[in-house]
Amino acid sequence: MLIPLLTSPGTIARCQQQGLRYVVAWAPKDSIFQSPSDQLGHQNSNQRTQGQAVRYSTHTRVAQSPVLQSSRGPALFDLKNNHSTTTTSSIHSNSIRALSTEAASPTATASNVNNSTSTSGNGPKAGTFTATSPVRQRRPNYIRDFEVPADMSRLPPKFGDNQHIDIDEAMWQQLKSVVDTIHHKAPIRYAFAYGSGVFAQKGYDGKKKPMVDFIFGVSHPQHWHSLNLQANPHHYSLLGKLGSKAVAMTQERFGAGVYFNPFVEVNGMTIKYGVVSIDTLCNDLLNWDTMYLSGRLHKPVKILLDDPRTRLSNQVNLFNATRVALLSLPAKFTSEELFTKIAGLSYLGDFRMSIGENPHKVQNIVKAQLSQFHRLYDPLLANLNNVTTLREGHLEQDISPLVRSRTFQKLPPKLKQGTLYRYHSALSKAGVEIVKEEGQEIQSVATAPDLDKYLASTVHSIVQIPAFSQSVKGIATAGVIKTGKYGLEKLGKWWSRPK
């Protein structure tokens, strides 16, 4: 039952540990416990329902608990003083709501109410009751605070609109048809297309159509691969012959948690699509565990199927990329310098940048997609109080120790810990005493002259192993022939790069 649950000793102890002062429980009328006299009248009635019989049988047990037994109204239980009070007010529908206020601000008022009684642990007493007025909660700023709404299917209006970037209508329809074709057989929760096949990159030949890259976020990889193997067995290499369990195990346990099928023909378009679980994707977006997918989403992509949880996680990811770039830049900088810093994060530590990729790839991406970068990051910069726009394309940031400390504190845990480790190692080699107090330690590293080097080195270590292992895994998932074909295309781009 509801009221015994709220007033059990274990529940009271847990609430007091969490600093809760009051708990208000609204219960349906037919579940409120009756007084002894009311029960006697009901027992003599021939119209007693089965539910009432159960209620009467539990009354003796409930009477031992210090809670008021009233015919209607809310039960207010004081966790600190271990007593409860009630008021007589109408109860609407069969809904149960709980409201709590913190012990730090128990705003209580006293008033007399007719037909109201109160009890304590020593027995019932008539008179006044103490009620708490609900504390108006601060409306969360989802852009800045990233508080998760109670219902993830309903984000605030226009939240994350900056992630949706316009492309050519014909290209949009073609990309959407590809996703719909696969989604019809194997449901996809989140999908985006990226790379030179979607967005122009400087230095690439526009006549030759490149392979278009997709990422599909799915709920259950093994089930998804089972459906896709039945519908599209030709998408898979020999590994697919072992079944969906082997495919899903290879995807989840090796590399960055992505399974790629390259050189697949869908609706006349040559594509490469990677499959990842939504949990793995969101974890990387929030924590930068591998930066394999979060780094791709630092740059403009075309979202084809959206998912509220992923959209929220990606907004956190974009803010974290902005913070890292700001900590690596001087007080005054240009928007192009900012975007170049952000776009280059995921390529730090990627061995493909030394062979097989155009070494000017980051600059080519930013210069050709400058308007898309503005669309992606300008709304975020507008929500940062420490960044000011001087004139078009030129910005200034507050580099005071307090502001930089707060910015550093909000970085993903893995990045923050790795940066602190490298900072301490540098101090140890220089024979400088390490500050142990947390506040001073954070301020010390946030204002360090070589902070950008510590950040870059940490990102390099995060990216390096997943990028290499994912490439090795690609030999098994794509097959030797497709892997060789893909490698030759990359080498062709590298040899034909502008000298």
Side-chain angles (χ1 to χ4, degrees):
M1 302 299 291
L2 174 64
I3 294 180
L5 178 64
L6 291 175
T7 59
S8 63
T11 304
I12 296 171
R14 287 194 297 271
C15 291
Q16 288 176 341
Q17 290 175 358
Q18 297 176 4
L20 297 178
R21 180 69 166 83
Y22 291 101
V23 172
V24 179
W26 289 86
K29 182 177 180 179
D30 58 356
S31 66
I32 300 296
F33 300 100
Q34 306 293 325
S35 63
S37 60
D38 292 337
Q39 290 185 44
L40 183 60
H42 281 289
Q43 287 173 349
N44 294 332
S45 173
N46 294 327
Q47 299 179 353
R48 184 174 61 186
T49 63
Q50 183 178 0
Q52 290 169 331
V54 174
R55 186 167 62 248
Y56 302 150
S57 65
T58 59
H59 175 75
T60 304
R61 182 186 64 180
V62 176
Q64 299 173 359
S65 179
V67 67
L68 179 66
Q69 301 151 6
S70 174
S71 59
R72 68 167 78 119
L76 175 63
F77 190 79
D78 189 335
L79 296 171
K80 184 176 182 180
N81 299 321
N82 199 31
H83 71 274
S84 62
T85 58
T86 61
T87 66
T88 55
S89 61
S90 60
I91 297 181
H92 297 285
S93 59
N94 294 336
S95 61
I96 299 174
R97 301 175 184 174
L99 173 66
S100 64
T101 59
E102 294 185 359
S105 59
T107 57
T109 59
S111 61
N112 295 325
V113 178
N114 297 331
N115 301 326
S116 66
T117 59
S118 65
T119 65
S120 66
N122 298 326
K125 294 180 183 180
T128 62
F129 74 99
T130 303
T132 59
S133 59
V135 176
R136 183 179 294 275
Q137 299 294 330
R138 178 181 67 86
R139 185 176 182 181
N141 184 334
Y142 294 96
I143 295 289
R144 192 161 49 224
D145 300 336
F146 307 114
E147 297 186 18
V148 179
D151 183 2
M152 280 300 301
S153 65
R154 297 193 303 173
L155 288 172
K158 297 186 178 181
F159 177 85
D161 274 2
N162 57 302
Q163 300 176 27
H164 290 272
I165 298 173
D166 294 332
I167 61 173
D168 179 70
E169 180 65 22
M171 173 61 75
W172 155 253
Q173 292 295 341
Q174 194 173 7
L175 296 175
K176 195 70 169 66
S177 69
V178 170
V179 174
D180 290 342
T181 300
I182 299 177
H183 175 66
H184 179 69
K185 299 293 184 180
I188 301 168
R189 278 182 57 182
Y190 184 79
F192 66 88
Y194 65 97
S196 58
V198 182
F199 298 98
Q201 293 185 19
K202 186 179 178 181
Y204 281 83
D205 185 6
K207 296 180 180 179
K208 185 179 179 181
K209 293 183 179 180
M211 182 169 56
V212 181
D213 299 323
F214 291 82
I215 292 293
F216 299 153
V218 302
S219 298
H220 305 287
Q222 182 176 342
H223 179 62
W224 191 90
H225 285 295
S226 175
L227 297 175
N228 198 43
L229 279 167
Q230 294 178 23
N232 304 298
H234 56 285
H235 290 185
Y236 291 82
S237 65
L238 292 176
L239 186 61
K241 301 293 184 181
L242 301 178
S244 60
K245 185 175 182 180
V247 172
M249 187 180 299
T250 304
Q251 172 185 321
E252 297 283 348
R253 296 190 179 182
F254 302 98
V258 188
Y259 189 99
F260 280 104
N261 284 328
F263 296 102
V264 174
E265 292 285 339
V266 180
N267 297 345
M269 176 181 283
T270 303
I271 70 169
K272 177 186 74 174
Y273 66 88
V275 183
V276 63
S277 73
I278 289 292
D279 291 339
T280 300
L281 173 59
C282 291
N283 190 53
D284 191 39
L285 292 173
L286 294 173
N287 301 316
W288 287 14
D289 285 341
T290 65
M291 290 188 68
Y292 193 82
L293 294 176
S294 58
R296 278 166 169 74
L297 286 164
H298 290 165
K299 298 171 282 294
V301 302
K302 182 55 187 176
I303 297 174
L304 304 167
L305 283 178
D306 206 354
D307 172 70
R309 177 186 172 194
T310 310
R311 193 193 318 172
L312 179 63
S313 301
N314 191 33
Q315 203 75 339
V316 179
N317 174 48
L318 296 174
F319 257 108
N320 284 333
T322 305
R323 293 188 181 102
V324 173
L326 290 174
L327 289 172
S328 305
L329 289 169
K332 294 183 179 180
F333 53 93
T334 64
S335 57
E336 187 172 335
E337 290 173 340
L338 174 68
F339 300 150
T340 302
K341 281 285 185 182
I342 293 173
L345 289 175
S346 61
Y347 294 112
L348 294 173
D350 192 341
F351 77 99
R352 294 173 299 177
M353 290 301 295
S354 58
I355 181 171
E357 282 286 5
N358 189 336
H360 305 288
K361 184 171 185 175
V362 176
Q363 292 82 358
N364 292 340
I365 291 174
V366 174
K367 289 179 179 179
Q369 304 172 25
L370 198 57
S371 61
Q372 288 88 350
F373 272 98
H374 278 289
R375 163 69 175 167
L376 192 58
Y377 287 101
D378 281 358
L380 307 185
L381 293 171
N383 277 274
L384 294 176
N385 298 326
N386 59 317
V387 179
T388 305
T389 302
L390 300 178
R391 60 185 184 277
E392 186 176 357
H394 292 77
L395 303 98
E396 183 179 17
Q397 64 169 324
D398 186 350
I399 58 172
S400 62
L402 179 60
V403 171
R404 289 180 69 85
S405 299
R406 290 175 177 173
T407 302
F408 183 82
Q409 277 281 43
K410 295 178 181 179
L411 295 180
K414 191 172 184 178
L415 176 62
K416 185 166 57 177
Q417 293 169 5
T419 305
L420 283 171
Y421 171 78
R422 284 162 176 77
Y423 175 65
H424 289 161
S425 298
L427 291 181
S428 299
K429 291 179 180 179
V432 180
E433 182 180 358
I434 300 175
V435 179
K436 298 296 184 181
E437 296 182 10
E438 183 178 359
Q440 295 182 6
E441 180 187 37
I442 295 298
Q443 183 169 319
S444 177
V445 66
T447 56
D450 294 332
L451 175 61
D452 58 333
K453 295 181 181 179
Y454 304 142
L455 288 170
S457 177
T458 305
V459 172
H460 184 283
S461 66
I462 294 174
V463 172
Q464 188 175 27
I465 295 178
F468 179 77
S469 58
Q470 184 68 41
S471 297
V472 173
K473 184 175 75 173
I475 300 175
T477 60
V480 178
I481 296 177
K482 289 184 177 180
T483 301
K485 185 178 178 180
Y486 183 76
L488 289 175
E489 283 194 0
K490 289 292 184 181
L491 286 173
K493 293 179 181 179
W494 184 67
W495 285 110
S496 61
R497 73 190 187 280
K499 300 297 190 289

